[in-house]
Amino acid sequence: MTISRRALLAAGAAAGLLTACGSNTGRGDDAGARPRLSQWYHQYGETGTEQAVERYAAAYPKAKVGVQWRPGNYDQQTAAALLTGSGPDVFEGSPTLDQIQGGQVVDLTDLLDGVKDDFNPAVLTPKTYDGRIWGIPQVIDMQLLYYRRSLLSDAGVEPPDTLDALVDAAARLTTKKVKGLFLGNDGGAGVLGGTPLYAAGLQLIAGDGKVGFDDPAAARTLAKVHQLYADGSLLLGAPADWSDPSAFLQGLTAMQWSGLWALPQVQKELGDDFGVLPFPGDGAGAPAVPVGAYGAAVSARSRHQDTAKDFVKWLWVERTDYQEDFALSYGFHIPARVSLAKKAGKLRTGAAAEAVRLTTEHGYAQPLLWTPADQTAYQDALSRIIRGGANPESELRAVVRKVSAELDRVRKKS
C-alpha cells in the first residue's frame, strides 16, 4: 500500500521540480502577461494527485501558476525557502509559530469572511494565532482504531470503550499466532503522541496557554499504555508500520491503530468484518481522535501577495468541487469544510460515516504552541515509559519543565 504524505513525511533530502507551466518557476513576469505564481506541494504517494493539482492551477484565470512537487523533507525545505527570495508564493504546510512571529507568512484571515464557521475547528485552530488565520486547511486526516469483528466475537470481547477495556481486550485477544493490538513497531510512542492525554481529559497546551498535562491523571493513563506492552499484548516487528493496514489484514493482530486512508483497503479485503473506534477515554476523560491538516499559506516574500491570496481563496474557499475532488478522488480523506464532509457520498455510510462523526465529536489537533522541542521531549519520555517501564510521574515532571520553558520563550517573542 502506498501511504500518503498527508500522513507521513518521506525521508531524504532530494528536491524535485515539476511544474504545470513547463520550466516556469513562478518567479518572473512576462511583459503585459498574467503574473506568475509558484505553488509548492509535498510529494503525495496517491496516484493522480499531482495531475489534479496541476489541473486546478491551470484553471485559475488570474495568474499562471507553476506547481512544484517536492520530495524529501518537505517541511524542512519550506522553512529554509521562506527565508529567501526564491521560495514559493503559495505553499502547502502548517505555518509554525516561529514563522508567524517572524513575519514569514501572510495573514489570511479575510479569506474566510462569511465561511469561517464551515471549517472544522479542530484543524482551523492550529492555524490561528493571536486571533488571525495563517493557513487555510485543505483536507483532514485522522487516526482511529480498527478491530476485527469476528476475532472479538470468537473471544467474547466487546469493542473497548474505555482504556481499561482496551488493555483487557488486547490481553484476551492475544494468542500464539495473533497479537491483540498493533500500535506501531515502537509500541505506540511515535504515533500516539498526546492522544492518551486527551483521552484522560487533559491537553498538551491548556486554553490558558499553560502546560495542559501537569496532572496526576496523565501518569496514570500512560502507565496503562505501558501495561499493553508489559502484558505482551502488542504486536512488535511487523513487516510494515502502523500507517499500513497489512498486519491487520494478514491476521497478525486483532486490532490496529491506523489512519482513515487505510479504510478503502480494509473494506475491500474484509468487507463487513471490521469496525472503527476512537482511542478510548480514561477516567474522567473522553474518547480522543487525533486529526491533522496541511493548509495553503502565502509567503511574505512573494512579489504578488494579493494575487497569491486571491488564488488561495479561489482554490480552497470558493472551488468546493476541487476541494471534494482533492479529498476523495485520489485518496481517502475528509474535506476541511464541514458542509462538504456531510454531503460527500463516499463519507455518508458505514465506517466512513462513523469516522466523520468521531472526528467531529472527538477530534483534536496538535496545538500551534506545541513546538518541535516540546514534541521531542514528550516523545522521548513516552518511549521510555511504554517500552522501558520508566516511572511516568518523574518522566512527565521533566517534560512539564521543558514545555513550561518553551512557552516562556515563545511568549517573549510575541
Side-chain angles (χ1 to χ4, degrees):
M1 176 185 180
T2 303
I3 301 303
S4 164
R5 168 56 183 82
R6 303 180 202 205
L8 299 170
L9 278 170
L17 174 61
L18 297 175
T19 74
C21 305
S23 61
N24 169 31
T25 64
R27 274 296 164 197
D29 289 342
D30 296 326
R34 293 178 294 165
R36 297 187 180 194
L37 298 178
S38 171
Q39 182 186 24
W40 284 18
Y41 288 90
H42 74 264
Q43 183 181 32
Y44 285 82
E46 299 156 330
T47 302
T49 307
E50 181 183 358
Q51 292 73 24
V53 299
E54 290 179 345
R55 176 167 50 85
Y56 308 155
Y60 180 61
K62 298 181 183 180
K64 293 182 178 179
V65 183
V67 174
Q68 295 190 21
W69 209 241
R70 312 286 296 190
N73 191 329
Y74 174 80
D75 288 340
Q76 190 175 66
Q77 293 177 39
T78 304
L82 290 177
L83 299 174
T84 74
S86 59
D89 297 285
V90 177
F91 66 97
E92 175 184 63
S94 295
T96 67
L97 188 61
D98 287 340
Q99 289 165 358
I100 294 169
Q101 291 179 331
Q104 297 172 31
V105 290
V106 174
D107 182 353
L108 304 180
T109 307
D110 60 314
L111 302 191
L112 295 190
D113 285 349
V115 296
K116 179 182 175 182
D117 290 345
D118 192 39
F119 281 80
N120 190 305
V123 291
L124 184 60
T125 299
K127 292 168 178 54
T128 304
Y129 179 68
D130 200 21
R132 314 302 293 173
I133 297 167
W134 304 92
I136 308 302
Q138 297 174 174
V139 296
I140 298 173
D141 276 305
M142 54 91 73
Q143 298 167 15
L144 68 172
L145 183 66
Y146 291 85
Y147 66 93
R148 190 76 172 263
R149 293 185 187 277
S150 57
L151 292 180
L152 268 67
S153 177
D154 291 346
V157 173
E158 293 293 325
D161 58 2
T162 67
L163 182 54
D164 288 327
L166 178 64
V167 173
D168 178 68
R172 293 172 60 189
L173 289 164
T174 296
T175 67
K176 291 182 178 179
K177 296 183 178 180
V178 179
K179 288 291 187 177
L181 178 62
F182 183 42
L183 296 174
N185 285 325
D186 65 353
V191 64
L192 289 182
T195 301
L197 301 180
Y198 281 83
L202 307 172
Q203 297 173 284
L204 293 172
I205 306 294
D208 60 3
K210 297 180 180 179
V211 179
F213 53 93
D214 189 6
D215 188 295
R220 289 195 296 269
T221 293
L222 295 188
K224 293 177 184 180
V225 178
H226 164 67
Q227 191 62 45
L228 289 162
Y229 181 87
D231 288 345
S233 303
L234 296 180
L235 174 65
L236 302 170
D241 214 343
W242 67 271
S243 57
D244 189 312
S246 58
F248 184 65
L249 296 177
Q250 293 169 14
L252 302 179
T253 181
M255 299 181 289
Q256 177 174 338
W257 188 257
S258 190
L260 181 65
W261 56 85
L263 195 148
Q265 187 179 359
V266 172
Q267 202 154 34
K268 181 180 178 181
E269 297 288 334
L270 300 183
D272 295 329
D273 190 23
F274 79 99
V276 296
L277 296 167
F279 191 89
D282 186 42
V289 175
V291 301
Y294 259 166
V298 174
S299 170
R301 290 182 178 265
S302 171
R303 292 169 49 201
H304 304 290
Q305 287 187 21
D306 289 343
T307 304
K309 287 179 61 177
D310 185 78
F311 172 62
V312 170
K313 182 176 182 179
W314 175 83
L315 180 54
W316 297 113
V317 179
E318 297 173 354
R319 291 302 302 259
T320 54
D321 55 338
Y322 286 165
Q323 294 158 37
E324 184 172 344
D325 180 67
F326 185 71
L328 290 163
S329 295
Y330 317 100
F332 207 70
H333 313 273
I334 301 173
R337 303 281 291 274
V338 175
S339 59
L340 293 182
K342 287 181 178 178
K343 76 174 188 177
K346 293 182 179 179
L347 299 175
R348 295 181 67 179
T349 60
E354 179 66 2
V356 172
R357 184 187 70 80
L358 294 175
T359 298
T360 302
E361 295 180 4
H362 304 297
Y364 86 90
Q366 191 165 285
L368 186 61
L369 290 174
W370 187 250
T371 68
D374 293 335
Q375 181 163 328
T376 297
Y378 175 73
Q379 293 292 147
D380 289 348
L382 187 59
S383 181
R384 291 190 291 269
I385 292 168
I386 293 176
R387 295 186 66 116
N391 183 280
E393 290 89 352
S394 58
E395 290 287 341
L396 287 174
R397 279 197 297 271
V399 178
V400 167
R401 289 194 295 271
K402 175 66 177 180
V403 176
S404 295
E406 272 290 281
L407 289 170
D408 289 340
R409 179 185 70 84
V410 300
R411 287 193 194 98
K412 290 177 181 178
K413 292 181 64 176
S414 61

